[in-house]
């Protein structure tokens, strides 16, 4: 995947429309498929050409801010530390789902599920974070439900759960996933009672509707 600009001339002015595209090989040859439309970036919108980048200078252990520009555009004189880059050679590697995973963890936090599960799923003596394993399982079932084997083999590598939880891929080992599920059964009734209370608090439910959820 890489960035591509589409040029158009309107009223004598050049406009550029940027997209993220990928090359797809078909029976009729290779063609480019648009993945993400980024919009117009023209000369009257210089600020949109500049992206702040903090660079660590090892020589004096300091951080300085750089401004990025495409290689065919001359940086304006008022910009300090400009860097011209070859946009046509930029590629995406190992894209992962972030937004859905973040939202799922936020829903978990809104329900205050850490308070319920932390005393029931303590870390093992070998350092397995059962709470993180459970969060991964719950987010997987919410976003892209499937088997635990599929989570282990495919899904975990394409999501941002490891970054969000501060864990490595050991929490998605297939045996670990199955063992975590085994630990949940004994807490089923207590969990339903806890969720009933949280539901009432979050949505200010009356007693009759709260009893209906029992």
């Amino acid at each position: 995947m890489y960035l591509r600009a589409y040029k158009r001339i309107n009223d004598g002015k050049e406009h550029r429309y940027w997209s993220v595209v990928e090359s797809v090989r078909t029976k009729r040859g290779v063609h480019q498929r648009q993945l993400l439309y980024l919009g117009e970036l023209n000369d009257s919108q210089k600020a949109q050409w500049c992206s702040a980048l903090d660079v660590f200078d090892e020589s004096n252990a300091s951080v300085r801010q750089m401004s990025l520009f495409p290689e065919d555009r001359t940086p304006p004189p008022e910009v300090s530390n400009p860097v011209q880059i070859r946009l046509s050679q930029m590629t995406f590697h190992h894209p992962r789902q972030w937004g859905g995973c973040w939202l799922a963890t936020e829903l978990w936090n809104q329900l205050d599920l850490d308070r319920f599960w932390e005393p029931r799923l303590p870390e093992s003596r070998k350092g397995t974070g059962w709470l993180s394993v459970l969060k991964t399982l719950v987010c997987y079932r919410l976003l892209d439900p499937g088997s635990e084997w599929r989570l282990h083999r495919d899904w975990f590598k394409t999501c941002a759960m490891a970054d969000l939880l501060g864990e490595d891929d050991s929490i998605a080992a297939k045996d670990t996933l199955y063992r975590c599920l085994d630990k949940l059964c004994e807490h089923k009734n207590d969990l339903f009672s806890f969720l009933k209370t949280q539901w009432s608090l979050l949505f200010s439910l009356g007693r009759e509707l709260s009893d209906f959820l029992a």
Side-chain angles (χ1 to χ4, degrees):
M1 291 181 286
Y2 52 95
L3 293 177
R4 180 177 180 180
Y6 300 87
K7 299 180 182 179
R8 291 183 182 178
I9 304 297
N10 291 326
D11 297 328
K13 295 182 179 180
E14 180 182 281
H15 297 262
R16 295 190 178 192
Y17 302 87
W18 291 89
S19 297
V20 178
V21 300
E22 68 176 356
S23 296
V24 180
R25 186 177 298 276
T26 67
K27 294 181 180 179
R28 293 178 293 179
V30 178
H31 73 275
Q32 294 177 338
R33 178 170 61 191
Q34 179 174 292
L35 300 177
L36 179 64
Y37 177 71
L38 300 179
E40 179 184 3
L41 297 173
N42 55 45
D43 290 335
S44 65
Q45 299 169 314
K46 290 182 179 179
Q48 294 187 24
W49 285 102
C50 301
S51 295
L53 177 67
D54 288 333
V55 178
F56 182 73
D57 189 345
E58 295 183 354
S59 62
N60 55 14
S62 63
V63 176
R64 58 176 177 166
Q65 192 175 78
M66 312 294 289
S67 295
L68 305 183
F69 292 85
E71 61 177 333
D72 61 343
R73 292 293 175 117
T74 302
E78 65 270 15
V79 175
S80 60
N81 299 324
V83 174
Q84 290 179 283
I85 59 176
R86 297 177 179 176
L87 293 175
S88 61
Q89 297 183 17
M90 291 183 64
T91 59
F92 289 130
H93 296 275
H94 192 49
R96 294 171 296 163
Q97 182 186 111
W98 181 278
C101 295
W102 175 84
L103 181 58
T105 57
E106 283 298 302
L107 292 174
W108 175 286
N109 293 334
Q110 287 291 319
L111 290 170
D112 200 15
L113 286 169
D114 277 355
R115 180 163 60 90
F116 177 84
W117 284 113
E118 278 181 346
R120 294 171 174 83
L121 292 177
E123 187 176 289
S124 72
R125 288 179 296 177
K126 294 183 178 180
T128 301
W130 293 114
L131 186 60
S132 293
V133 178
L134 178 57
K135 287 182 180 180
T136 301
L137 283 164
V138 170
C139 293
Y140 172 61
R141 294 293 178 89
L142 178 64
L143 299 173
D144 190 15
S147 67
E148 283 69 37
W149 170 249
R150 177 170 167 267
L151 188 163
H152 158 73
R153 184 187 60 186
D154 297 322
W155 188 78
F156 192 79
K157 295 182 293 185
T158 63
C159 74
M161 291 304 298
D163 293 326
L164 290 168
L165 299 176
E167 299 279 0
D168 57 30
D169 58 3
S170 64
I171 64 172
K174 60 181 185 300
D175 292 340
T176 301
L177 298 173
Y178 294 130
R179 289 169 60 197
C180 183
L181 292 175
D182 291 339
K183 294 176 177 291
L184 307 181
C185 296
E186 62 182 292
H187 306 297
K188 179 179 178 180
N189 292 332
D190 291 339
L191 176 61
F192 284 166
S193 297
F194 178 83
L195 290 176
K196 171 187 171 182
T197 301
Q198 293 304 104
W199 185 276
S200 300
L201 293 174
L202 284 173
F203 299 102
S204 301
L205 297 178
R207 181 175 179 179
E208 293 182 359
L209 186 54
S210 180
D211 291 339
F212 173 77
L213 295 173

